[in-house]
Amino acid sequence: MTENDPHAHDSAAGRQNPGAQPGTEGQAAWSQPTAPGASPAPAPASGEQPTYGEQAQQQNPGYATANPWSAQGAQTGPMGYNNPYPPTGGTTQQQYAAPGTYSVPPAPAPKKSGPGKLLAGVAAIALVIGGVAGGTVGYLTGGSSGPSVNALDQPKPAQQTGNAPSGSIESVAQKLSPSVVELQVSGRTAAGEGSGFVLSTDGYILTNNHVVEVAANGGQIQAVFQDGKKAAASVVGRDPTTDIAVVKVNNVSGLTPVELGRSDDLRVGQPVVAIGSPFELSGTVTSGIVSSLHRPVQAGGDETDQTTVMDAIQTDAAINPGNSGGPLANMNGQVIGINSAIYSPNSGQGGASQGGNVGIGFAIPIDQARRTANDIIKTGHATQTFIGAKVADAPQGGAQLGDITPGSPAEKAGLKAGDIVTKIDDRTIDSADTLIAAVRTRAPDEKATFTLSDGRTVQVTLGGQPVPAN
């Protein structure tokens, strides 16, 4: 696709903007922050969109505030929003908001009616026991003459030996941790950090685009490995539309690559493990489950305002600022996703966005990331899957097509402006974002059957186009 409605909603999260006008696929408008003093919103407001945590906040009025969807950065910015890359002209130490204070309600006062009878009953029972078991009562009140037992005097238990049980969180951590790196990134006006994981022994590392984009043009990237060793790295290529990037560490060998799994057979409820560097705490391991699949998440855009829509894996594994770019793995230690974003609801005075995990995180499926990484390593740029049509939310549900690009896959298939797509193969299409996510997760030249609102079906051969380098 080439066009997308900037107000397209995340259907799975219940956001709807039926009055949105058709826009440009890949074009997204930044959400405006809640004004100071506004009432807090307990749930996502209409039109609220996800964004990236490591997303750089440049000294550009159009990007002065962070979006409430964030998996990176806890620097407090204007109006209380997270600003992961503080405008500095250099590197600035991150600052974090003070933790909240919770009061404990007083315990209820005991009722005065009843205890007199209860105490009398207890006294009567005690007298009976005392009469027949006076020796026992004397032992309890007079103390024991036997030796005391002190836990401090006990010997230590035997030291743990052997390997971690197969399929345990411990075994996944042991397998993956040597392959996970912290990426410290700085640009001309911003700095931050995120995560990545090793693809090859000679230093290719997969991460998020929003982790490294501030260093794409003359910035610096430093990879910090599990053993504390550091090495300079550079951007090989990146794709803002899928939030995927590949960097190469210089002058290294013998690194430990991860084992890539597959994401097309994941099941809701299966356990997963996330590893990364939340709040610069490198090598942090958390666990959870796959909470949902095929979650269309519009997570903002890059500096050219190019929309990024993920067909995301949703998880409740704790993902915090700094986890972005790190692996989400199954219990065999195979990487099945790239941690990329979290949902941070507005809270507190002025609608300030929470900066940490609330149990709703999103990862890019590894099947899509594998294909994009291969393109980047082999050609230096990513290839985007598209149909060549503007798209917007249809008021009655589905994705309504707008202008059709001449010679595009959509035109060749016979699609027309005004057509409303309701299904792609067996997947229901309930919004523009869902259609974009469904297309981008597929490979170029793949055939897909589009079902329209009038009952017609159209077979489309998906196209591929290079993502412009920037």
Side-chain angles (χ1 to χ4, degrees), residues 199 206 244-246 368-378:
L199 290 177
L206 189 58
I244 293 169
V246 176
Q368 180 179 1
R370 181 200 289 262
R371 185 176 67 251
T372 301
N374 269 328
D375 287 343
I376 290 173
I377 292 172
K378 292 177 180 179

Side-chain angles (χ1 to χ4, degrees), residues 270-413:
Q270 78 174 76
V272 288
V273 174
I275 305 180
S277 303
F279 300 108
E280 301 185 49
L281 300 173
S282 60
T284 296
V285 178
T286 56
S287 66
I289 62 169
V290 172
S291 302
S292 183
L293 294 167
H294 304 298
R295 183 74 77 191
V297 175
Q298 187 182 105
D302 69 354
E303 294 175 8
T304 63
D305 207 25
Q306 195 168 24
T307 299
T308 300
V309 178
M310 298 183 291
D311 193 38
I313 302 166
Q314 183 180 326
T315 180
D316 68 348
I319 299 173
N320 283 290
N323 272 114
S324 282
L328 185 70
N330 61 24
M331 301 312 291
N332 293 321
Q334 300 166 330
V335 177
I336 50 89
I338 306 174
N339 300 317
S340 186
I342 59 175
Y343 174 64
S344 293
N346 289 339
S347 64
Q349 187 174 5
S353 178
Q354 295 180 9
N357 169 64
V358 295
I360 304 176
F362 302 98
I364 301 168
I366 199 62
D367 292 350
Q368 180 179 1
R370 181 200 289 262
R371 185 176 67 251
T372 301
N374 269 328
D375 287 343
I376 290 173
I377 292 172
K378 292 177 180 179
T379 68
H381 61 77
T383 301
Q384 180 190 67
T385 308
F386 78 110
I387 62 169
K390 291 183 178 180
V391 58
D393 288 347
Q396 65 271 41
Q400 183 170 0
L401 302 184
D403 294 341
I404 307 295
T405 303
S408 67
E411 184 188 57
K412 293 177 180 178

Side-chain angles (χ1 to χ4, degrees), residues 160-187:
Q160 295 186 67
T161 59
N163 297 325
S166 178
S168 66
I169 297 171
E170 182 183 359
S171 67
V172 175
Q174 288 180 359
K175 179 178 180 178
L176 270 182
S177 292
S179 305
V180 181
V181 300
E182 178 184 357
L183 296 176
Q184 299 173 347
V185 184
S186 62

Side-chain angles (χ1 to χ4, degrees), residues 71 103 119 137 141 147 151 169 182 224 243 270 313 315 392 399 415 427:
S103 59
L119 291 175
V137 173
T141 58
I169 297 171
E182 178 184 357
V224 183
D243 195 30
Q270 78 174 76
I313 302 166
T315 180
L415 292 171
R427 178 172 179 175

